[in-house]
Amino acid sequence: MAATSHHLRPILLLLLVLFLSQLAHVHSQTPTAPRPKPKAILLPVRKNGAALQYTTNVRQRAPLVPVKLAVDLGAQMPWVNCEDGYISSSYTPVPCESKLCKLSGSGACHTACYSPPAPGCHNNTCSQNVYNNFIRTSTMGDIAVEAAVFRSTDGKNPGRSVSVPGGVVLTCGYTSMLEGLAKNTRGMVGLGRSPVSLPPVLSSAFGFPNKFAMCLSSSSSQGVVIFGDGPYFLQPSKEVSSFLMNTPLILNPVSTAGAYFEGEPSTDYFINVTGIKFNGRAVPLNSTLLKISKEGSGGTKLSTVDPYMLMETSIYRAVTRAFLNWGKHLKRVRSVKPFEHCFDAKGIGSTRVGPAVPQIELLLGGKGGGSWTIFGANSMVYVGKGEIMCLGLVDGGADARTSIVIGGHQLEDNLVQVDMVKKRLGFTSSLLLHQTTCANFNFTVVV
Ligand SMILES: *[C@@H]1O[C@H](CO)[C@@H](O)[C@H](O)[C@H]1NC(C)=O
Ligand SMILES: *[C@@H]1O[C@H](CO)[C@@H](O)[C@H](O)[C@H]1NC(C)=O
Ligand SMILES: *[C@@H]1O[C@H](CO)[C@@H](O)[C@H](O)[C@H]1NC(C)=O
Ligand SMILES: *[C@@H]1O[C@H](CO)[C@@H](O)[C@H](O)[C@H]1NC(C)=O
């Protein structure tokens, strides 16, 4: 085996050189074949109903293979398992002391590895946290640059496939870090507020603005993440970016990940919720909890890892009390974990925007004001065979690090746009109001 790998090494090196020079060619196309850079990149995302996770396939490495990854909206950077026969001639370790290493915020260097060189084992390699947010567990892994291919899009259909000039940035995780991830998942894709997550890397590789939109489907049909600016078309030919309302994105100065280097800010997307209304009436809350403290606790963030909205205990109690006050006429049934308040679904009517329950409004401070309205489709959850309906909020505990987490169920069939150019979050509220859903992107390929 050792002899074989010695023979192989020069060939791999040669392949790498060829590959990198090809990447360079893609970057500066010859005048005979001018191909405009894509204005946007498409990433189909599917809900895994069993795991309550959102997953996607990213084609990467050389030769290209599809790698199934769980989406973590707030994560610093993507990571993949490097222990499961990772073979790639385009895997390029990122040296300590490099620009990219600094950019990643790393404070660690993997100085020496005493096994044969392989993805995850190189000397003098920049090292970052590999974070599995589902089990809240971190480890350290090598940072690398890897080839990746995505579909471009004009916002209406998938277009031609394009390889990312310069590649994407990822960290090398281990098989043990896959615990808690949906079946066949080999890592996670981080879309967080960091210079090395997928959105800024694609933005600088292709030269489009550092913005992306995410539309999670509530069904088993695919939803989308579109990197780059709109238009974002959903059938029947709705240009949904026109429905976006905006609120400032707030920087939490202290990381909210499981492990981090000192001074690293949070890579989660926080917004300025200043109050909550239920059925048009303000719910009495301790407003200190809505602010982000110097230690980085409190505030409101978005998450694709928490399947349902989490609220700090006192906020949770206040909101559920308001709901129960309204819902005195409903027939209570036993609790179904993780929910506390469940009802006979027959007693609740239905509307265009889901079960007929009063709206929960998240009041937003700062420029633009406004509120994020949560309708029945995003506040109530059918369980069992659909005969039971539960209030889809979960008690996040009295010591919750973040007071309100807007979870997957609340994000489904809402388009959100992270705009890091203007440091703001666009949100549409329920697309059901506009007679469309996140499953309505037209996946018919146009080349
Ligand atoms: C790292 O350097 C040490 C010491 O020079 C060497 O023994 C080892 O093989 C190197 N490891 C890799 C993965 O190249
Ligand atoms: C409001 O929350 C803050 C932060 O947890 C706490 O220090 C304070 O005592 C709370 N105030 C009231 C009135 O409960
Ligand atoms: C949140 O909004 C309130 C009310 O508009 C404002 O006073 C506060 O400064 C905002 N907080 C941040 C962090 O922007
Ligand atoms: C989907 O896109 C294809 C290609 O652009 C188009 O021909 C077709 O009419 C679209 N379907 C719908 C339902 O809009």
PDB file of all heavy atoms in Angstrom, residues 5 36 46 122 140 168 209 238-239 247 268 291 330 413 421:
ATOM      1  N   SER A   5       1.031   4.280  -2.781  1.00  0.00           N
ATOM      2  CA  SER A   5       0.722   5.688  -2.517  1.00  0.00           C
ATOM      3  C   SER A   5       1.898   6.585  -2.902  1.00  0.00           C
ATOM      4  O   SER A   5       1.709   7.724  -3.296  1.00  0.00           O
ATOM      5  CB  SER A   5       0.310   5.891  -1.056  1.00  0.00           C
ATOM      6  OG  SER A   5       1.435   5.789  -0.239  1.00  0.00           O
ATOM      7  N   PRO A  36     -20.833  34.610 -19.646  1.00  0.00           N
ATOM      8  CA  PRO A  36     -21.047  35.555 -18.546  1.00  0.00           C
ATOM      9  C   PRO A  36     -21.045  34.820 -17.209  1.00  0.00           C
ATOM     10  O   PRO A  36     -21.445  33.660 -17.142  1.00  0.00           O
ATOM     11  CB  PRO A  36     -22.420  36.145 -18.844  1.00  0.00           C
ATOM     12  CG  PRO A  36     -23.092  35.168 -19.757  1.00  0.00           C
ATOM     13  CD  PRO A  36     -22.002  34.473 -20.518  1.00  0.00           C
ATOM     14  N   ARG A  46     -34.051  20.045   0.864  1.00  0.00           N
ATOM     15  CA  ARG A  46     -35.213  19.208   1.133  1.00  0.00           C
ATOM     16  C   ARG A  46     -35.344  18.942   2.625  1.00  0.00           C
ATOM     17  O   ARG A  46     -34.347  18.762   3.314  1.00  0.00           O
ATOM     18  CB  ARG A  46     -35.047  17.879   0.386  1.00  0.00           C
ATOM     19  CG  ARG A  46     -36.337  17.132   0.172  1.00  0.00           C
ATOM     20  CD  ARG A  46     -36.064  15.779  -0.444  1.00  0.00           C
ATOM     21  NE  ARG A  46     -35.719  15.803  -1.847  1.00  0.00           N
ATOM     22  CZ  ARG A  46     -36.593  15.905  -2.856  1.00  0.00           C
ATOM     23  NH1 ARG A  46     -37.879  16.000  -2.608  1.00  0.00           N
ATOM     24  NH2 ARG A  46     -36.189  15.915  -4.107  1.00  0.00           N
ATOM     25  N   HIS A 122      -2.453  16.951   7.184  1.00  0.00           N
ATOM     26  CA  HIS A 122      -1.336  17.640   6.539  1.00  0.00           C
ATOM     27  C   HIS A 122      -0.612  18.429   7.609  1.00  0.00           C
ATOM     28  O   HIS A 122      -1.207  18.787   8.621  1.00  0.00           O
ATOM     29  CB  HIS A 122      -1.835  18.592   5.441  1.00  0.00           C
ATOM     30  CG  HIS A 122      -2.354  17.870   4.229  1.00  0.00           C
ATOM     31  ND1 HIS A 122      -3.669  17.564   4.074  1.00  0.00           N
ATOM     32  CD2 HIS A 122      -1.720  17.393   3.125  1.00  0.00           C
ATOM     33  CE1 HIS A 122      -3.850  16.920   2.932  1.00  0.00           C
ATOM     34  NE2 HIS A 122      -2.671  16.800   2.328  1.00  0.00           N
ATOM     35  N   MET A 140     -11.969  20.113  16.667  1.00  0.00           N
ATOM     36  CA  MET A 140     -11.151  20.921  15.760  1.00  0.00           C
ATOM     37  C   MET A 140     -10.865  20.123  14.493  1.00  0.00           C
ATOM     38  O   MET A 140     -10.690  18.907  14.554  1.00  0.00           O
ATOM     39  CB  MET A 140      -9.820  21.291  16.419  1.00  0.00           C
ATOM     40  CG  MET A 140      -9.935  22.207  17.619  1.00  0.00           C
ATOM     41  SD  MET A 140     -10.639  23.814  17.235  1.00  0.00           S
ATOM     42  CE  MET A 140      -9.290  24.514  16.284  1.00  0.00           C
ATOM     43  N   VAL A 168     -14.474  26.174  -2.700  1.00  0.00           N
ATOM     44  CA  VAL A 168     -15.174  26.562  -1.469  1.00  0.00           C
ATOM     45  C   VAL A 168     -14.309  26.207  -0.265  1.00  0.00           C
ATOM     46  O   VAL A 168     -13.393  25.395  -0.369  1.00  0.00           O
ATOM     47  CB  VAL A 168     -16.556  25.877  -1.348  1.00  0.00           C
ATOM     48  CG1 VAL A 168     -17.493  26.343  -2.443  1.00  0.00           C
ATOM     49  CG2 VAL A 168     -16.432  24.357  -1.354  1.00  0.00           C
ATOM     50  N   PRO A 209     -23.547  40.288  -5.410  1.00  0.00           N
ATOM     51  CA  PRO A 209     -23.633  40.850  -4.060  1.00  0.00           C
ATOM     52  C   PRO A 209     -23.766  39.772  -2.972  1.00  0.00           C
ATOM     53  O   PRO A 209     -24.317  38.699  -3.238  1.00  0.00           O
ATOM     54  CB  PRO A 209     -24.897  41.724  -4.097  1.00  0.00           C
ATOM     55  CG  PRO A 209     -25.427  41.677  -5.468  1.00  0.00           C
ATOM     56  CD  PRO A 209     -24.627  40.743  -6.291  1.00  0.00           C
ATOM     57  N   LYS A 238     -44.770  34.202  -9.537  1.00  0.00           N
ATOM     58  CA  LYS A 238     -44.760  35.293  -8.556  1.00  0.00           C
ATOM     59  C   LYS A 238     -43.318  35.698  -8.331  1.00  0.00           C
ATOM     60  O   LYS A 238     -42.473  34.825  -8.071  1.00  0.00           O
ATOM     61  CB  LYS A 238     -45.313  34.815  -7.209  1.00  0.00           C
ATOM     62  CG  LYS A 238     -46.742  34.405  -7.244  1.00  0.00           C
ATOM     63  CD  LYS A 238     -47.615  35.413  -6.516  1.00  0.00           C
ATOM     64  CE  LYS A 238     -48.993  34.906  -6.462  1.00  0.00           C
ATOM     65  NZ  LYS A 238     -50.115  35.556  -6.772  1.00  0.00           N
ATOM     66  N   GLU A 239     -43.046  36.968  -8.403  1.00  0.00           N
ATOM     67  CA  GLU A 239     -41.710  37.458  -8.106  1.00  0.00           C
ATOM     68  C   GLU A 239     -41.753  37.847  -6.627  1.00  0.00           C
ATOM     69  O   GLU A 239     -42.206  38.937  -6.290  1.00  0.00           O
ATOM     70  CB  GLU A 239     -41.388  38.652  -9.009  1.00  0.00           C
ATOM     71  CG  GLU A 239     -39.910  38.806  -9.271  1.00  0.00           C
ATOM     72  CD  GLU A 239     -39.120  39.273  -8.067  1.00  0.00           C
ATOM     73  OE1 GLU A 239     -39.082  40.489  -7.840  1.00  0.00           O
ATOM     74  OE2 GLU A 239     -38.548  38.434  -7.359  1.00  0.00           O
ATOM     75  N   THR A 247     -35.629  44.288   8.036  1.00  0.00           N
ATOM     76  CA  THR A 247     -35.300  44.671   9.414  1.00  0.00           C
ATOM     77  C   THR A 247     -33.789  44.536   9.579  1.00  0.00           C
ATOM     78  O   THR A 247     -33.178  43.683   8.934  1.00  0.00           O
ATOM     79  CB  THR A 247     -36.084  43.781  10.418  1.00  0.00           C
ATOM     80  OG1 THR A 247     -35.931  44.320  11.731  1.00  0.00           O
ATOM     81  CG2 THR A 247     -35.598  42.337  10.419  1.00  0.00           C
ATOM     82  N   ASP A 268     -24.573  33.635  14.092  1.00  0.00           N
ATOM     83  CA  ASP A 268     -26.025  33.520  13.917  1.00  0.00           C
ATOM     84  C   ASP A 268     -26.600  34.856  13.459  1.00  0.00           C
ATOM     85  O   ASP A 268     -26.050  35.917  13.745  1.00  0.00           O
ATOM     86  CB  ASP A 268     -26.685  33.133  15.242  1.00  0.00           C
ATOM     87  CG  ASP A 268     -26.646  31.635  15.491  1.00  0.00           C
ATOM     88  OD1 ASP A 268     -27.109  30.878  14.614  1.00  0.00           O
ATOM     89  OD2 ASP A 268     -26.177  31.217  16.568  1.00  0.00           O
ATOM     90  N   LYS A 291     -33.099  41.917  24.604  1.00  0.00           N
ATOM     91  CA  LYS A 291     -31.849  42.573  24.195  1.00  0.00           C
ATOM     92  C   LYS A 291     -30.693  41.592  24.327  1.00  0.00           C
ATOM     93  O   LYS A 291     -30.758  40.654  25.105  1.00  0.00           O
ATOM     94  CB  LYS A 291     -31.584  43.785  25.091  1.00  0.00           C
ATOM     95  CG  LYS A 291     -32.692  44.826  24.988  1.00  0.00           C
ATOM     96  CD  LYS A 291     -32.329  46.077  25.766  1.00  0.00           C
ATOM     97  CE  LYS A 291     -33.460  47.092  25.693  1.00  0.00           C
ATOM     98  NZ  LYS A 291     -34.082  47.327  27.003  1.00  0.00           N
ATOM     99  N   LEU A 330     -61.328  25.374  23.111  1.00  0.00           N
ATOM    100  CA  LEU A 330     -60.758  24.225  22.409  1.00  0.00           C
ATOM    101  C   LEU A 330     -60.690  23.012  23.320  1.00  0.00           C
ATOM    102  O   LEU A 330     -60.516  23.143  24.530  1.00  0.00           O
ATOM    103  CB  LEU A 330     -59.337  24.563  21.915  1.00  0.00           C
ATOM    104  CG  LEU A 330     -59.205  25.735  20.956  1.00  0.00           C
ATOM    105  CD1 LEU A 330     -57.733  25.968  20.611  1.00  0.00           C
ATOM    106  CD2 LEU A 330     -60.013  25.491  19.677  1.00  0.00           C
ATOM    107  N   ASP A 413     -42.150  27.998   4.199  1.00  0.00           N
ATOM    108  CA  ASP A 413     -43.052  28.763   3.327  1.00  0.00           C
ATOM    109  C   ASP A 413     -43.039  30.262   3.617  1.00  0.00           C
ATOM    110  O   ASP A 413     -44.026  30.972   3.395  1.00  0.00           O
ATOM    111  CB  ASP A 413     -44.479  28.176   3.358  1.00  0.00           C
ATOM    112  CG  ASP A 413     -44.509  26.789   2.722  1.00  0.00           C
ATOM    113  OD1 ASP A 413     -43.744  26.556   1.765  1.00  0.00           O
ATOM    114  OD2 ASP A 413     -45.277  25.928   3.194  1.00  0.00           O
ATOM    115  N   VAL A 421     -24.905  43.182   2.392  1.00  0.00           N
ATOM    116  CA  VAL A 421     -24.476  44.473   1.847  1.00  0.00           C
ATOM    117  C   VAL A 421     -25.110  45.571   2.705  1.00  0.00           C
ATOM    118  O   VAL A 421     -24.432  46.482   3.177  1.00  0.00           O
ATOM    119  CB  VAL A 421     -24.903  44.621   0.368  1.00  0.00           C
ATOM    120  CG1 VAL A 421     -24.456  45.966  -0.176  1.00  0.00           C
ATOM    121  CG2 VAL A 421     -24.343  43.470  -0.464  1.00  0.00           C
TER     122      VAL A 421
END
